[in-house]
Amino acid sequence: MASILSNFWISSSFTLTEFNKPQSTGAQIRCSAAQESSVLSTDSVRVNGVSSAKEQERTIPLLESGDGHLAAAGLSTEHKKKKKNGEEEETVVLLEKLEPLWDDGYGTQSVKDYLDLANGIIKPDGGPPRWISPVECGPHVKNSPVLLFLPGMDGLGLGLMLHHKALGRVFEVWCLHIPVKDRTPFEELVKLVEETLRAQHASSPNKPIYLVGDSFGGCLALAVAARNPTIDLVLVLANPATSFNRSQLQPLLPLLEAMPKELHFTVPYLLSFVMGEPIKMAMVTVDATLPPRLVLEQLSGKLTGLLPRLSGLADIIPKETLLWKLKLLKSAAAYANSRLHAVRAEVLVLASGKDNMLPSGDEAQRLENSLQNCKVRYFKNNGHTILLEDGVNLLTIMKGTLKYRQSRKHDIVMDFVPPSKSEFKQALESNRFYRYLTGSVMLSTLEDGKIVRGLSGVPNEGPTILVGYHMLMGLELVPLIEEFLREKKILVRGIAHPTLFSHLVESDSKEFSFFDTLKIYGATPVSASNLFKLFKTKSHVLLYPGGAREALHRKDEMYKLFWPDQPEFVRMAAKFGATIVPFGVIGEDDIAELVLDYDDLMKIPVLNDNIRRNNEQSDFRVRANVTGEVANQELYFPGLLPKVPGRLYYLFGKPIQTKGKQELLKDREKARELYFQIKSQVENNMVYLIRKRKEDPYRNIFDRTTYRAFSAPIDQVPAFDP
């Protein structure tokens, strides 16, 4: 946290020195007490309103960050030593930004690591509930908001272990640790979190504060939010326990009270099957891209190593603690439910379909209807401990639902976090079949006009704008984005229709969808201000002047451009000296046949009414003031008939420099001339590709498959000679 809070005491007695040594898990933890310890040194002094022990006695040093606040050394910032007046002084170095394909560490830790680390942290130390921060969260980007993790029934504060490295790059992560023997009532825990919240808000009033609540922690987050409606909060609730009155654990209370202490060792095994999906837990560190036989071997080994460690749950949640936690859950649920009407925070609920502990699916729907600003994502194959299971990268979900921001108002350009290595690996795996079917060929044009295979002709530096033809249903998008990341490690940010960011694309299932993935990979609603910001940040931008009209063309309009008459982007490109790269793409006629277009669908009763109604509900008329065919951008799903796949072919034309061409800003006619030159080059690129693909011996999928079987991977199958 940028400032260690004014009523937080820090002492060597709370260092948990066993975690300052290398562990088998690779995880380290530092902590601060939430109140004064009975063994706190009498020589402690106040620093920026914070009590700390003498320098020579402290094992958790404090550093002053650039904004005058305090941060725990080695936690969420890099620190370097430099000489000043002959003495060593520590300074804080924050990350400027994250580059595409940054390492988020997802998949490097698992539940096994959680259980191993838990064995060390459960030892009684006489301390109260406190905040701990994993050292592995590492340095974060500048202006990162604070994230407070509120744990589930275990209370350890380790429930984000799989997500520490990823979250630690874009948040200042602090986790609430409630010792096993602690019996702090729910209302006191609410006050503890509330004090932290208010102190942080006072130091950074323009930043949001994130509360991630897991099960019991979800009740705690809602209770705190209800009591602080004027503070800018974002709540992420993982299977919140607000439905405890309908829980499977209710009948366990009398049974546990009557159970002999000698039999309590059996409870962890029962709870493990109630709380989570063991296979999902074990799959976290399994490489799913391997052949099925190797995946099964890895999974078997992980499960074999995980199950014996479940006995450790008896120490994490002994009988007396379990009884206390269940009673605490009951009071927490009642407290939170009685105050839902007062919650003004932004809320994201993650609900599991196989939660055997709570009816989380139904509860998510209830919370969505009860809260003013609530969004749900449903994970049908996960169990109660969703944050410790495979397939749920918390930061990825937050990015896909546009829940990450650094200030009061979300800015889709400035708050964007580029895709990480694990996200890109997941995308490649998910799209592997589509890449196999399309066998995309990328060509680009060098400065001397020579056409070459690959993207070497496209500038590496921004601002650069790729302007081209939008194929039917955007069939070209996925290979284009993936190839720029794979070959050049450049993220191309697409300018998209605003409807893709509205509630109209939310499915009834509430599952993580393709539209969420578009946001992860930088899709941005079309607007002049967003294009301005992208150019200003020297981004690579993907623009389709034909928009939805081109992507939803009629049967006889294939490879026809529907561009507006006015040069919408040329003058802004010139203002920033952006490089313009016209490109053509073909191949939709080899992938699918358009059998029902807009004209056909509007002749069908009921369907035509649905199309009209959906377009009326969409209040996003991108070109409301534009005349001509390009203004007809009704949204609908055409009827497509798949074909035996051919290939997609891309040709990026010779880059057009606008740097130094100030006349484009003043002379509208010159801007218009350049605009039509770009349009003409896009059309010529497609004519070239249509002619040359006839020379491709591997245009057919069967020929490519045969070649791949004996010669090369999918991205190295030859094509025609440029």
Side-chain angles (χ1 to χ4, degrees):
M1 202 180 298
S3 60
I4 297 181
L5 307 169
S6 59
N7 62 340
F8 278 29
W9 295 85
I10 296 184
S11 159
S12 59
S13 62
F14 295 121
T15 306
L16 300 180
T17 53
E18 61 267 32
F19 296 119
N20 296 332
K21 301 174 183 178
Q23 303 287 320
S24 61
T25 63
Q28 294 184 343
I29 293 177
R30 306 290 170 85
C31 69
S32 62
Q35 53 185 311
E36 184 178 1
S37 168
S38 58
V39 293
L40 182 65
S41 168
T42 55
D43 295 320
S44 64
V45 295
R46 306 289 290 185
V47 183
N48 278 16
V50 180
S51 289
S52 60
K54 280 186 174 180
E55 184 68 32
Q56 63 269 25
E57 296 175 353
R58 287 185 301 174
T59 53
I60 306 181
L62 296 178
L63 302 180
E64 185 162 327
S65 62
D67 58 0
H69 299 147
L70 295 179
L75 304 186
S76 56
T77 55
E78 287 184 345
H79 60 287
K80 296 181 179 179
K81 291 184 177 181
K82 65 177 182 179
K83 293 287 186 178
K84 183 178 181 181
N85 299 328
E87 297 183 0
E88 280 191 347
E89 182 186 64
E90 299 209 25
T91 59
V92 176
V93 180
L94 302 178
L95 299 176
E96 287 292 336
K97 65 176 183 177
L98 293 172
E99 299 295 335
L101 306 186
W102 57 283
D103 184 10
D104 66 358
Y106 186 75
T108 58
Q109 291 190 303
S110 67
V111 175
K112 173 179 158 300
D113 301 311
Y114 162 84
L115 293 171
D116 289 343
L117 189 56
N119 286 330
I121 202 173
I122 60 176
K123 297 175 182 178
D125 59 9
R130 72 208 70 171
W131 296 104
I132 61 176
S133 184
V135 174
E136 63 191 8
C137 284
H140 58 79
V141 295
K142 289 183 178 180
N143 299 317
S144 294
V146 168
L147 184 150
L148 304 177
F149 174 62
L150 310 179
M153 196 164 68
D154 64 329
L156 298 180
L158 304 178
L160 288 182
M161 173 164 285
L162 275 60
H163 314 274
H164 282 164
K165 189 170 183 179
L167 294 175
R169 293 297 178 267
V170 294
F171 289 105
E172 298 180 39
V173 180
W174 284 71
C175 309
L176 181 63
H177 170 65
I178 306 172
V180 172
K181 301 289 186 180
D182 183 77
R183 297 295 182 265
T184 303
F186 181 72
E187 290 81 357
E188 292 302 314
L189 292 175
V190 171
K191 291 178 182 177
L192 186 155
V193 177
E194 186 175 60
E195 289 172 1
T196 306
L197 196 74
R198 291 178 177 177
Q200 179 59 35
H201 176 65
S203 65
S204 301
N206 295 320
K207 287 185 183 180
I209 300 174
Y210 283 73
L211 298 180
V212 176
D214 182 16
S215 188
F216 165 76
C219 297
L220 188 53
L222 286 168
V224 172
R227 290 164 57 101
N228 296 273
T230 60
I231 295 180
D232 184 11
L233 299 177
V234 181
L235 274 54
V236 181
L237 312 178
N239 294 323
T242 44
S243 61
F244 182 72
N245 61 335
R246 292 173 279 138
S247 170
Q248 314 278 29
L249 294 181
Q250 286 277 22
L252 280 180
L253 270 171
L255 178 64
L256 290 170
E257 290 174 340
M259 179 180 288
K261 190 173 183 179
E262 293 76 16
L263 294 179
H264 183 71
F265 75 92
T266 63
V267 172
Y269 294 96
L270 296 174
L271 284 179
S272 66
F273 291 101
V274 171
M275 295 178 69
E277 287 289 305
I279 293 179
K280 278 285 187 180
M281 292 178 177
M283 275 295 294
V284 172
T285 53
V286 173
D287 187 354
T289 62
L290 294 173
R293 180 181 60 82
L294 297 179
V295 170
L296 286 174
E297 286 181 4
Q298 282 196 11
L299 177 60
S300 176
K302 300 295 182 184
L303 278 172
T304 303
L306 171 63
L307 293 176
R309 285 174 167 80
L310 293 177
S311 60
L313 287 174
D315 298 321
I316 297 172
I317 311 178
K319 179 181 177 181
E320 297 78 10
T321 299
L322 181 56
L323 289 170
W324 166 256
K325 295 286 187 179
L326 290 175
K327 294 175 181 177
L328 195 64
L329 272 175
K330 186 175 182 179
S331 63
Y335 189 102
N337 282 320
S338 67
R339 292 164 173 79
L340 289 180
H341 64 279
V343 175
R344 300 290 181 270
E346 202 175 334
V347 181
L348 172 64
V349 179
L350 312 184
S352 294
K354 293 185 178 179
D355 189 343
N356 296 321
M357 181 176 171
L358 298 169
S360 293
D362 294 340
E363 182 63 7
Q365 185 175 353
R366 185 183 77 90
L367 289 175
E368 186 179 27
N369 295 332
S370 302
L371 298 171
Q372 296 182 12
N373 186 7
C374 180
K375 184 176 289 189
V376 172
R377 284 297 176 268
Y378 181 70
F379 300 86
K380 60 182 179 181
N381 294 319
N382 287 89
H384 182 70
T385 53
I386 187 172
L387 297 178
L388 291 173
E389 297 177 14
D390 182 48
V392 182
N393 186 327
L394 183 57
L395 181 58
T396 300
I397 297 166
M398 295 171 70
K399 290 161 56 179
T401 53
L402 298 181
K403 290 300 180 186
Y404 180 77
R405 54 188 171 90
Q406 295 182 329
S407 57
R408 285 189 174 274
K409 187 177 180 181
H410 181 263
D411 189 317
I412 200 165
V413 175
M414 307 310 294
D415 289 329
F416 178 71
V417 178
S420 65
K421 284 183 181 178
S422 74
E423 289 169 342
F424 186 51
K425 183 179 179 181
Q426 176 63 33
L428 290 177
E429 177 64 19
S430 300
N431 300 323
R432 180 170 55 179
F433 185 62
Y434 185 66
R435 286 165 44 239
Y436 169 74
L437 290 179
T438 57
S440 302
V441 178
M442 302 276 176
L443 303 169
S444 60
T445 309
L446 303 179
E447 290 289 346
D448 60 3
K450 182 181 179 181
I451 298 175
V452 295
R453 182 83 182 260
L455 300 174
S456 57
V458 179
N460 292 326
E461 301 297 325
T464 296
I465 180 168
L466 313 177
V467 185
Y469 170 69
H470 210 356
M471 278 207 305
L472 183 66
M473 295 293 290
L475 290 172
E476 80 287 353
L477 278 171
V478 171
L480 189 155
I481 300 297
E482 286 186 350
E483 188 62 20
F484 268 86
L485 279 169
R486 192 188 66 81
E487 182 178 331
K488 300 173 80 74
K489 291 188 177 180
I490 289 175
L491 178 66
V492 177
R493 300 203 59 179
I495 301 295
H497 198 284
T499 299
L500 300 181
F501 301 83
S502 72
H503 68 281
L504 298 175
V505 297
E506 292 269 349
S507 65
D508 293 336
S509 66
K510 303 292 184 183
E511 294 183 41
F512 202 76
S513 68
F514 174 72
F515 299 107
D516 294 324
T517 304
L518 288 178
K519 297 160 193 170
I520 293 170
Y521 283 86
T524 307
V526 58
S527 72
S529 61
N530 282 338
L531 188 59
F532 181 95
K533 293 173 186 175
L534 288 170
F535 281 148
K536 188 175 182 180
T537 54
K538 298 184 178 181
S539 303
H540 281 67
V541 182
L542 176 61
L543 179 67
Y544 296 106
R549 178 62 182 87
E550 211 164 77
L552 297 172
H553 61 69
R554 314 303 191 248
K555 290 178 182 177
D556 57 346
E557 296 172 345
M558 184 170 53
Y559 304 137
K560 181 179 179 181
L561 300 187
F562 290 92
W563 287 22
D565 293 332
Q566 298 302 318
E568 297 177 320
F569 60 89
V570 171
R571 298 178 70 209
M572 189 176 292
K575 178 178 177 63
F576 288 92
T579 302
I580 302 173
V581 181
F583 74 93
V585 55
I586 66 167
E588 65 178 69
D589 52 333
D590 276 356
I591 302 297
E593 181 180 354
L594 179 58
V595 293
L596 289 174
D597 63 12
Y598 178 78
D599 297 331
D600 296 325
L601 294 172
M602 293 305 289
K603 296 174 183 177
I604 302 175
V606 181
L607 279 180
N608 54 13
D609 289 336
N610 286 334
I611 293 174
R612 289 192 191 95
R613 188 182 311 112
N614 291 335
N615 279 277
E616 287 171 0
Q617 291 176 355
S618 175
D619 191 26
F620 302 107
R621 307 302 296 180
V622 176
R623 286 170 168 146
N625 299 322
V626 176
T627 59
E629 191 60 35
V630 72
N632 299 324
Q633 296 200 14
E634 285 78 8
L635 303 180
Y636 67 99
F637 285 100
L640 302 178
L641 183 65
K643 301 174 69 173
V644 176
R647 283 184 109 167
L648 298 184
Y649 300 87
Y650 301 74
L651 174 57
F652 295 90
K654 184 177 179 179
I656 300 172
Q657 304 292 338
T658 66
K659 189 174 183 179
K661 297 183 178 180
Q662 298 300 314
E663 67 274 11
L664 294 174
L665 296 175
K666 301 176 182 178
D667 192 330
R668 292 181 178 272
E669 191 56 38
K670 286 188 178 295
R672 185 180 174 86
E673 289 176 7
L674 179 57
Y675 177 74
F676 284 109
Q677 176 189 334
I678 295 166
K679 182 180 179 182
S680 176
Q681 189 167 339
V682 171
E683 292 172 328
N684 291 338
N685 287 347
M686 289 192 289
V687 170
Y688 172 87
L689 291 172
I690 291 171
R691 173 170 50 86
K692 292 291 290 184
R693 73 174 173 180
K694 297 176 183 177
E695 305 172 13
D696 184 2
Y698 302 104
R699 177 178 173 183
N700 188 282
I701 188 173
F702 300 115
D703 296 323
R704 292 199 302 277
T705 301
T706 303
Y707 183 89
R708 289 185 62 234
F710 298 100
S711 302
I714 188 171
D715 57 317
Q716 295 179 14
V717 177
F720 55 79
D721 293 327

